[in-house]
């Protein structure tokens, strides 16, 4: 288990506190459509932190070629149809580049700044010179509009209960997912980043914003400098 991370509930729990069974239940959102609209058809995608393949599978169905990376063998067992690689993202070193590198799930907000730098270095190391890196960042009120909950149309409730400061600009976030037959919790460390600080972190890694893909500026298309 990564320091500061914890998960509870039925089934396997990954080193960052994610529950495999939970993520296998979560519905596919609008993310595959956002990604597909921002990249060339049939692009080669390196998906970092693929989990159970919640985005991998829809991207494959849209004709993309996906290499899916995760540090959890339990997560990767659920991925079908993609090349899979088990390794912590920051340690990935492939002798190839991709049209698109995908860093979703707010991973860019890693509480440990050196981990964040490692994630972004991996992105830069594996993106083609004329390619792009798509990043999902937290919304501006992610750490302040709390507690909050959302009832999904499929019948479960997700709650972000708290985001408490633990020092050095990092918050301990507590989330809960309640289904009729099971409940999972996840505790993780996250570093809030203003838009300006986010763009500074990109520049430090050798990336720049090409454009924000959504009105809330959560999805971002970046390119190598």
């Amino acid at each position: 288990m990564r320091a500061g991370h914890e998960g509870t509930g039925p089934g396997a729990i990954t080193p960052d506190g994610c529950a495999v069974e939970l993520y296998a239940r979560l519905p596919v959102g609008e993310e595959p459509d956002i990604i597909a609209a921002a990249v060339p058809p049939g692009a080669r995608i390196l998906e970092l932190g693929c989990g159970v393949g919640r985005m991998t599978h829809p991207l494959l169905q849209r004709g993309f070629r996906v290499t899916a990376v995760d540090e959890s063998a339990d997560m990767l067992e659920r991925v079908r149809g993609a090349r899979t690689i088990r390794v912590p993202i920051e340690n990935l070193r492939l002798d190839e580049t991709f049209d698109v590198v995908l860093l979703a799930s707010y991973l860019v907000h890693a509480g440990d700044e050196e981990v964040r730098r490692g994630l972004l270095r991996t992105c830069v190391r594996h993106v083609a010179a004329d390619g792009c890196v798509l990043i999902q960042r937290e919304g501006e009120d992610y750490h302040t509009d709390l507690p909050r909950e959302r009832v999904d149309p499929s019948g479960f409730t997700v709650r972000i209960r708290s985001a408490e400061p633990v020092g050095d600009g990092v918050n301990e976030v507590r989330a809960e997912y309640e289904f009729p037959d099971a409940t999972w919790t996840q505790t993780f460390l996250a570093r809030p980043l203003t838009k300006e600080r986010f763009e500074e972190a990109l520049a430090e890694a050798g990336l720049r914003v090409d454009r924000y893909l959504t009105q809330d500026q959560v999805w971002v298309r970046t390119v190598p400098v």
Side-chain angles (χ1 to χ4, degrees):
M1 192 66 63
R2 289 180 179 246
H5 295 249
E6 182 182 6
T8 68
I13 305 294
T14 67
D16 59 355
C18 293
V20 176
E21 296 297 331
L22 165 63
Y23 278 84
R25 293 188 182 202
L26 294 180
V28 177
E30 62 179 356
E31 291 92 344
D33 291 330
I34 294 171
I35 295 164
V39 303
R44 294 181 67 237
I45 297 177
L46 177 65
E47 183 185 4
L48 302 175
C50 65
V52 297
R54 192 162 55 98
M55 284 193 284
T56 315
H57 298 139
L59 291 172
L60 290 169
Q61 292 167 4
R62 286 162 171 78
F64 296 104
R65 295 162 289 166
V66 183
T67 294
V69 176
D70 205 279
E71 68 179 341
S72 167
D74 293 301
M75 288 286 197
L76 290 176
E77 284 180 1
R78 307 296 185 102
V79 177
R80 298 289 181 267
R83 169 194 181 194
T84 60
I85 299 174
R86 182 190 175 193
V87 66
I89 294 169
E90 56 269 36
N91 295 342
L92 181 69
R93 282 168 174 78
L94 301 177
D95 189 22
E96 58 186 303
T97 58
F98 296 80
D99 306 313
V100 181
V101 177
L102 178 60
L103 186 69
S105 303
Y106 314 133
L107 292 176
V108 73
H109 292 271
D112 186 328
E113 287 192 296
E114 190 52 41
V115 170
R116 184 194 68 220
R117 293 186 181 103
L119 299 178
L120 291 175
R121 283 194 294 263
T122 293
C123 292
V124 172
R125 192 159 52 237
H126 293 93
V127 67
D130 59 350
C132 66
V133 178
L134 302 186
I135 299 174
Q136 184 182 25
R137 58 189 290 264
E138 295 171 347
E140 294 298 328
D141 60 352
Y142 185 86
H143 291 261
T144 56
D145 180 22
L146 298 173
R148 65 178 180 272
E149 74 172 35
R150 177 180 63 84
V151 179
D152 191 86
S154 63
F156 71 93
T157 301
V158 56
R159 301 183 182 92
I160 307 297
R161 291 203 170 275
S162 62
E164 298 294 335
V166 294
D168 191 34
V170 177
N171 288 342
E172 180 185 76
V173 181
R174 297 181 181 273
E176 179 180 282
Y177 300 82
E178 183 178 338
F179 287 73
D181 62 338
T183 297
W184 286 271
T185 69
Q186 183 180 9
T187 301
F188 57 94
L189 300 181
R191 182 180 296 275
L193 298 172
T194 64
K195 179 181 175 182
E196 291 73 23
R197 183 67 193 97
F198 168 69
E199 293 184 2
E200 287 173 4
L202 294 180
E204 178 186 294
L207 295 168
R208 65 171 177 83
V209 172
D210 176 55
R211 65 182 186 274
Y212 287 89
L213 300 174
T214 52
Q215 187 172 2
D216 59 10
Q217 299 189 336
V218 166
W219 278 95
V220 192
R221 186 181 194 273
T222 75
V223 294
V225 175

